[in-house]
Amino acid sequence: MKDAVVVFSGGQDSTTCLIQALQHYDHVHCITFDYGQRHRAEIDIARELSQKLGATAHKVLDVGLLNELATSSLTRDNIPVPDYDADAQGIPNTFVPGRNILFLTLAAIYAYQVGAEAVITGVCETDFSGYPDCRDEFVKALNQAVVLGIARDIRFETPLMWLNKAETWALADYYQQLDTVRYHTLTCYNGIKGDGCGHCAACHLRANGLAQYQNDANTVMTSLKQKTGLS
């Protein structure tokens, strides 16, 4: 039997990862983190989706300490979430320092507990908001450290790492779940389900990718299959 843990926010990327994981693992455990995030409606969305899609279990873990330590527009109501700006430089204020370090480490501990061989996360280096903890180099380095620290060969999987957002939409469509991802997930930093507020960086990336896929679905799907080996 093969088990996996999905770091699950209820957003586009993690939901697409869950959809795919359910095709490849016998048991898929979802773990969602409550860190006092501004868009905390995602926790309820994650609960609903994990049940709807058929996850083996769904655990919500309180990590409010992160809210106390990490200053970000996603953890402080007095810091406005910025609109998308194509000319913006540097790391945006939506970055939550240490978030993926903490999430992946805790997910690995949970995987150890439930006997899972993999931790799956939807981070991506191709189309992303400039967060340093979404890079392939970081995930691989942390994976190595975690394996050394727990003496268990738990593998960090990043199925979206080299996909652009259009290809991520194509992946959901490949598994016939595009409508589920479009209408029932929450990616928006302002906490609006589905297509979101339309102004924040997360909404821009999501909408731009969907438009690219809808405009040239065959080309995008072909690219997805070439990158992933899907038939």
Side-chain angles (χ1 to χ4, degrees), residues 3-7 25 31 103-112 116-121 139 143 154-159:
D3 286 34
V5 170
V6 174
V7 178
Y25 289 92
I31 185 166
F103 287 5
L104 287 170
T105 301
L106 293 174
I109 296 170
Y110 184 48
Y112 188 105
E117 64 186 67
V119 169
I120 301 171
T121 176
V139 176
N143 195 174
I154 293 173
R155 183 176 64 256
F156 288 180
E157 293 186 358
T158 54

Side-chain angles (χ1 to χ4, degrees), residues 23-217:
Q23 304 299 314
H24 296 287
Y25 289 92
D26 300 296
H27 301 110
V28 179
H29 308 259
C30 294
I31 185 166
T32 299
F33 297 99
D34 181 353
Y35 60 99
Q37 57 267 53
R38 178 193 294 262
H39 51 304
R40 61 183 300 102
E42 70 178 14
I43 298 169
D44 291 330
I45 297 293
R47 285 194 183 98
E48 294 168 7
L49 282 169
S50 64
Q51 183 174 9
K52 174 184 172 68
L53 292 170
T56 303
H58 180 228
K59 184 177 186 65
V60 178
L61 193 63
D62 183 352
V63 289
L65 179 64
L66 181 62
N67 187 286
E68 296 179 31
L69 296 175
T71 301
S72 161
S73 62
L74 300 190
T75 61
R76 297 289 186 274
D77 290 337
N78 63 339
I79 303 176
V81 172
D83 288 347
Y84 171 74
D85 180 0
D87 297 321
Q89 300 292 320
I91 299 174
N93 74 11
T94 52
F95 174 60
V96 182
R99 180 170 57 176
N100 282 339
I101 297 172
L102 182 64
F103 287 5
L104 287 170
T105 301
L106 293 174
I109 296 170
Y110 184 48
Y112 188 105
Q113 177 186 3
V114 300
E117 64 186 67
V119 169
I120 301 171
T121 176
V123 298
C124 169
E125 192 172 316
T126 304
D127 266 352
F128 74 128
S129 298
Y131 299 163
D133 60 358
C134 288
R135 294 174 300 172
D136 184 61
E137 180 183 16
F138 157 73
V139 176
K140 287 179 176 175
L142 183 62
N143 195 174
Q144 183 179 20
V146 166
V147 168
L148 288 171
I150 63 176
R152 179 79 62 83
D153 190 17
I154 293 173
R155 183 176 64 256
F156 288 180
E157 293 186 358
T158 54
L160 309 184
M161 181 60 75
W162 306 116
L163 303 185
N164 60 38
K165 271 292 184 285
E167 291 161 344
T168 300
W169 282 111
L171 185 59
D173 201 17
Y174 178 85
Y175 292 111
Q176 301 180 337
Q177 293 283 4
L178 188 145
D179 283 352
T180 296
V181 173
R182 179 172 183 183
Y183 297 111
H184 298 284
T185 63
L186 194 161
T187 304
C188 175
Y189 291 146
N190 288 306
I192 301 174
K193 184 178 177 180
D195 290 336
C197 70
H199 302 294
C200 69
C203 284
H204 171 81
L205 285 171
R206 176 180 167 126
N208 189 53
L210 179 59
Q212 289 180 34
Y213 180 55
Q214 290 174 327
N215 290 337
D216 197 357

Side-chain angles (χ1 to χ4, degrees), residues 7-29:
V7 178
F8 191 54
S9 70
Q12 175 190 359
D13 294 340
S14 65
T15 301
T16 303
C17 287
L18 173 58
I19 289 165
Q20 184 177 52
L22 289 165
Q23 304 299 314
H24 296 287
Y25 289 92
D26 300 296
H27 301 110
V28 179
H29 308 259

